[in-house]
Amino acid sequence: MAETMCTSSEHQQDGEKKPMVDSGIPAPNISSIKNKKRRMEIYKQMKAERRKREIKQKKLKRKEAKMLGDKAPPKQVPKTIESMRVYDETMVDPTDEEVMKDEAQDEMASYFNRLTEPKILITTSDRPRSRTMKLCMQLKECIPNTDVYYRRGLALKKIIPQCKARDYTDIIILNEDKGIPTGLLLCHLPNGPTAHFKLTSLKLRKEIKNFSTPTDHKPELVLNNFNTRLGHTVGRLIASLFPHDPEFVGRRAVTFHNQRDFIFFRHHRYIFKDGKRVGLQQLGPKFTLKLRSLQKGTFDSKFGEYEWIHKRHEMDTSRRKFFL
């Protein structure tokens, strides 16, 4: 009996050093372990082993696909919110004749026909705080041919005629709440449209890791996933802010990436490391926009005609139905 007790205790001591989960034995129910520290250690071991198994399976699949070559089965498309998106009847094809006719007659046609050059005015709400003014100055560095002016308590209806007289093509107004920028109003001149965005997740240049300062070169513009009729209009409105011919020598890129109706703004400098890899460095700022309304004509809070207004519960029935 003494010998058997000794051997069992030795097995217990050896068992602590060995991994708790064996591939041939089902995973234990760790919730029955009372000691929290011990339970966490076993959970970490189980998680690490599961990760090893997943990596091993991926390597085997890659090896099999390489051996089969052209006969390899097609890659499975992962089920994401974007891939499971409900088809929207308003999805547009840029090569469609009807879409092309609409584009030739809309408010941004003069820009795309190269009849006008973008000239932007950036201003704020009354008495802006330092964070809002810093965002204004950094946006000025992102968008060429831009002027920043202090609001001075003027109503927007008085500012718009003055901007038209000075040949401004767009006005950007940054709104704030308790010193934090919370909204962006984009008004295209002289005849609109006007888009109101909610602004969140703001990080200024110095708040970004490994940030750098931009050069004076004209940036490249990247617009992603503006596929519906509404998204197409918003994309053209954003595109009209930037000059026609970017300077590729500067390697600057401004990106508006639309995903699930959230528009992510990023400002990068890129460098080609080799034929396959590209290095990116953020220049800042970065933030997220959410479209709240699109209004015909210039800004008019009383008598303005709205093309689209965001409703609070219109996404409740299907989380995979988007509008941009």
Side-chain angles (χ1 to χ4, degrees):
M1 286 292 291
E3 289 181 0
T4 55
M5 288 175 67
C6 289
T7 54
S8 62
S9 61
E10 287 173 3
H11 282 304
Q12 286 178 358
Q13 289 176 359
D14 294 339
E16 290 179 359
K17 296 177 184 178
K18 294 178 182 178
M20 296 299 297
V21 183
D22 192 2
S23 58
I25 302 172
N29 184 10
I30 61 171
S31 60
S32 60
I33 300 171
K34 303 297 183 183
N35 190 317
K36 184 179 178 180
K37 188 176 179 181
R38 184 61 181 155
R39 188 168 65 245
M40 290 298 295
E41 288 176 358
I42 296 171
Y43 173 73
K44 286 179 181 178
Q45 289 177 9
M46 292 171 63
K47 194 174 180 181
E49 289 178 5
R50 185 176 61 190
R51 178 64 180 159
K52 285 179 182 178
R53 287 196 299 271
E54 288 174 357
I55 292 169
K56 191 175 180 180
Q57 288 175 1
K58 285 181 181 179
K59 285 181 178 179
L60 284 171
K61 284 182 180 179
R62 272 195 232 108
K63 193 175 180 181
E64 288 175 1
K66 194 174 181 181
M67 289 174 65
L68 291 170
D70 297 335
K71 296 180 181 179
K75 290 183 179 179
Q76 294 181 352
V77 179
K79 289 185 178 180
T80 61
I81 295 177
E82 286 291 338
S83 64
M84 296 174 70
R85 174 175 179 172
V86 176
Y87 177 76
D88 194 342
E89 293 178 355
T90 63
M91 298 284 280
V92 297
D93 182 7
T95 59
D96 186 68
E97 289 185 8
E98 186 180 349
V99 175
M100 292 173 72
K101 286 180 181 178
D102 290 343
E103 288 178 357
Q105 297 174 359
D106 68 3
E107 296 86 348
M108 285 75 71
S110 60
Y111 165 80
F112 285 96
N113 293 331
R114 292 179 175 263
L115 300 175
T116 57
E117 284 291 331
K119 186 180 178 183
I120 320 299
L121 172 71
I122 298 180
T123 186
T124 63
S125 54
D126 292 335
R127 298 176 184 177
R129 302 289 180 86
S130 62
R131 189 168 179 80
T132 306
M133 289 307 300
K134 285 177 183 177
L135 177 59
C136 288
M137 300 310 295
Q138 291 184 18
L139 281 177
K140 181 182 177 181
E141 294 176 347
C142 293
I143 308 172
N145 201 16
T146 301
D147 298 320
V148 177
Y149 284 107
Y150 188 70
R151 181 73 173 268
R152 298 183 186 280
L154 287 172
L156 195 55
K157 287 184 179 180
K158 293 182 179 179
I159 295 174
I160 290 172
Q162 293 178 15
C163 291
K164 289 180 182 178
R166 296 181 184 183
D167 296 328
Y168 283 102
T169 60
D170 295 271
I171 307 175
I172 296 174
I173 301 101
L174 292 172
N175 298 318
E176 66 174 36
D177 184 19
K178 297 178 182 178
I180 300 171
T182 56
L184 187 147
L185 191 73
L186 174 57
C187 181
H188 186 70
L189 300 178
N191 301 315
T194 302
H196 178 228
F197 300 93
K198 180 182 177 182
L199 193 151
T200 55
S201 306
L202 171 64
K203 280 194 176 183
L204 297 174
R205 184 172 299 137
K206 290 187 177 179
E207 298 169 357
I208 299 171
K209 188 178 180 181
N210 299 326
F211 72 92
S212 181
T213 53
T215 59
D216 295 332
H217 296 90
K218 294 178 183 178
E220 303 169 47
L221 178 64
V222 181
L223 295 171
N224 290 332
N225 298 336
F226 292 89
N227 300 322
T228 63
R229 177 74 73 172
L230 175 64
H232 200 60
T233 304
V234 173
R236 284 173 64 84
L237 181 61
I238 293 170
S240 62
L241 296 173
F242 292 85
H244 297 285
D245 301 311
E247 296 175 351
F248 297 101
V249 179
R251 295 181 283 105
R252 284 177 59 199
V254 175
T255 304
F256 290 85
H257 176 75
N258 176 42
Q259 188 171 355
R260 293 174 290 170
D261 290 346
F262 289 94
I263 302 171
F264 300 94
F265 175 89
R266 297 293 184 270
H267 184 200
H268 288 101
R269 180 185 290 120
Y270 61 87
I271 185 170
F272 295 103
K273 295 183 177 180
D274 50 35
K276 296 181 180 179
R277 295 185 304 160
V278 177
L280 294 176
Q281 184 180 30
Q282 288 207 49
L283 304 177
K286 68 177 186 178
F287 50 82
T288 305
L289 298 174
K290 174 86 171 176
L291 184 66
R292 289 301 180 190
S293 65
L294 183 68
Q295 182 181 352
K296 289 184 178 180
T298 55
F299 178 76
D300 190 346
S301 57
K302 276 191 176 181
F303 306 106
E305 182 183 353
Y306 288 88
E307 291 187 32
W308 184 83
I309 300 175
H310 178 266
K311 295 177 183 178
R312 186 177 177 185
H313 296 293
E314 63 188 349
M315 292 281 287
D316 288 355
T317 54
S318 175
R319 291 288 177 184
R320 295 183 294 275
K321 187 174 182 181
F322 310 122
F323 301 96
L324 291 183

